[in-house]
Amino acid sequence: PLPYLDALWAVAREAAERAGRDPAALRRVFRVNAHVTTAEADPAETHQRGTVRQICDHLRTMCRADTDEVLVDLQLTTDSPEEFLDLAARFTAELTGG
């Protein structure tokens, strides 16, 4: 959940400050190990499974201006390089509106 993620980020920033580091130099990377389905998943599960659109909607909710990078790990949801590339293209198209 977003409040939990924000709390963890606050802990990381505070730890950087205590260590004498600039918290603004930290990079916020959001990773999703998604199980992509062809049928719509229960909305309560879209943080880990669902259609490309459902997972991208979850990413849009979770990733705000202070997110530097998003990693959608597709290695465990595909069986071939061709399927991996096709799925990556579908995610890119959904996230960029193309």
Side-chain angles (χ1 to χ4, degrees):
L2 191 54
Y4 181 74
L5 183 65
D6 286 341
L8 288 175
W9 186 242
V11 168
R13 292 179 58 83
E14 290 169 12
E17 283 182 5
R18 282 193 310 273
R21 304 260 177 130
D22 178 9
L26 294 176
R27 292 184 40 83
R28 186 170 175 159
V29 179
F30 188 77
R31 179 181 179 146
V32 175
N33 297 323
H35 174 75
V36 180
T37 61
T38 54
E40 296 238 338
D42 182 316
E45 296 181 340
T46 59
H47 63 284
Q48 64 184 6
R49 64 182 316 241
T51 63
V52 169
R53 183 194 48 77
Q54 284 182 303
I55 294 168
C56 288
D57 286 347
H58 174 71
L59 290 172
R60 288 181 191 102
T61 298
M62 298 299 289
C63 299
R64 297 175 305 204
D66 56 353
T67 300
D68 296 297
E69 185 176 337
V70 174
L71 170 63
V72 180
D73 190 341
L74 302 173
Q75 292 185 37
L76 299 178
T77 198
T78 60
D79 294 323
S80 70
E82 294 79 18
E83 184 182 9
F84 181 94
L85 292 172
D86 177 63
L87 197 52
R90 289 173 50 206
F91 270 95
T92 299
E94 176 68 29
L95 289 171
T96 61

